[in-house]
Amino acid sequence: MVHIIKDSLIERYGLMTMIALGEIISILYDFSKTPINWNRFIQFTLCIILIALLAAVYYQVLGELHIQLNSSIATSLTGWLFLLVILFAFLIGVSLHLVIIDGNLESKILFSFSLILMLLMIRVLFLISIHFKLSKLEVKLSWILLIEMIINLSAAFLPAMGMILLDILVLICFSFNVSQHLLFFI
């Protein structure tokens, strides 16, 4: 028996993710009420770009999914993966706020892990939707994921703006990499 995660449910998960990302922007807006200087303005702008890229990656990968699974347990677990994406989006917001406020290493590592895990969950959901039919591309995806993890974790040791800028570059590369694989399956 085929179990389908309906498009309307996937859309609801997407809306909850957008709410989470919107909450990050509202937190950043509160941060912008402090005395503005060029450093704060650039940080605020980079954070908005980062959040916009996260939304773009989310919808680029998960926006058009059609998930059919063979068991109800797999369908339930896939729903939980969507909820994990939302959880990590909120965690990205909290940790990004901490990075901007004090920029200590712990908050930057929390942010990096949150970003890594959100991108990992997005990849896993994509792989589930195509029933893991990547063959040779699975190895390439594994290496790319490992490289992204190393870059994200090493970015935590940079100053806050450098870390955010490097994460923006990683998201741009992630988006380009995913679009290449999506074209492969069309």
Side-chain angles (χ1 to χ4, degrees), residues 49-175:
I49 292 170
L50 180 82
I51 300 309
L53 281 170
L54 276 173
V57 164
Y58 181 89
Y59 276 111
Q60 180 184 14
V61 178
L62 302 180
E64 295 295 323
L65 285 186
H66 302 287
I67 300 176
Q68 296 181 357
L69 300 166
N70 293 328
S71 77
S72 59
I73 294 173
T75 306
S76 296
L77 290 175
T78 304
W80 282 101
L81 288 175
F82 276 104
L83 292 175
L84 282 174
V85 170
I86 296 165
L87 171 75
F88 291 128
F90 276 116
L91 196 55
I92 285 171
V94 170
S95 58
L96 185 59
H97 185 71
L98 292 173
V99 164
I100 290 174
I101 288 175
D102 55 341
N104 63 18
L105 183 61
E106 293 84 12
S107 59
K108 290 192 279 187
I109 289 174
L110 177 64
F111 173 78
S112 294
F113 272 121
S114 303
L115 184 60
I116 288 168
L117 291 172
M118 183 177 177
L119 293 176
L120 178 65
M121 292 301 117
I122 289 172
R123 272 202 176 104
V124 168
L125 285 166
F126 172 70
L127 290 173
I128 288 171
S129 73
I130 60 168
H131 303 287
F132 296 93
K133 295 178 184 172
L134 291 178
S135 62
K136 293 179 183 177
L137 293 178
E138 279 181 343
V139 175
K140 183 179 176 185
L141 279 176
S142 300
W143 280 106
I144 291 171
L145 180 63
L146 181 64
I147 291 168
E148 285 175 1
M149 289 173 63
I150 291 169
I151 291 171
N152 274 325
L153 287 177
S154 60
F157 295 96
L158 295 174
M161 282 199 313
M163 181 191 80
I164 293 168
L165 188 59
L166 189 58
D167 286 331
I168 287 172
L169 293 174
V170 166
L171 282 173
I172 290 170
C173 292
F174 180 91
S175 178

Side-chain angles (χ1 to χ4, degrees), residues 2-72:
V2 176
H3 297 273
I4 298 172
I5 297 180
K6 297 190 184 235
D7 293 341
S8 60
L9 184 59
I10 293 174
E11 184 179 329
R12 286 186 193 122
Y13 288 131
L15 291 173
M16 289 191 317
T17 304
M18 289 304 110
I19 289 169
L21 295 175
E23 287 296 321
I24 298 171
I25 292 173
S26 70
I27 290 170
L28 293 174
Y29 177 73
D30 286 341
F31 170 72
S32 70
K33 291 179 181 176
T34 60
I36 297 176
N37 58 30
W38 280 107
N39 187 30
R40 292 212 186 257
F41 177 75
I42 291 171
Q43 275 183 334
F44 180 76
T45 304
L46 288 176
C47 290
I48 296 296
I49 292 170
L50 180 82
I51 300 309
L53 281 170
L54 276 173
V57 164
Y58 181 89
Y59 276 111
Q60 180 184 14
V61 178
L62 302 180
E64 295 295 323
L65 285 186
H66 302 287
I67 300 176
Q68 296 181 357
L69 300 166
N70 293 328
S71 77
S72 59

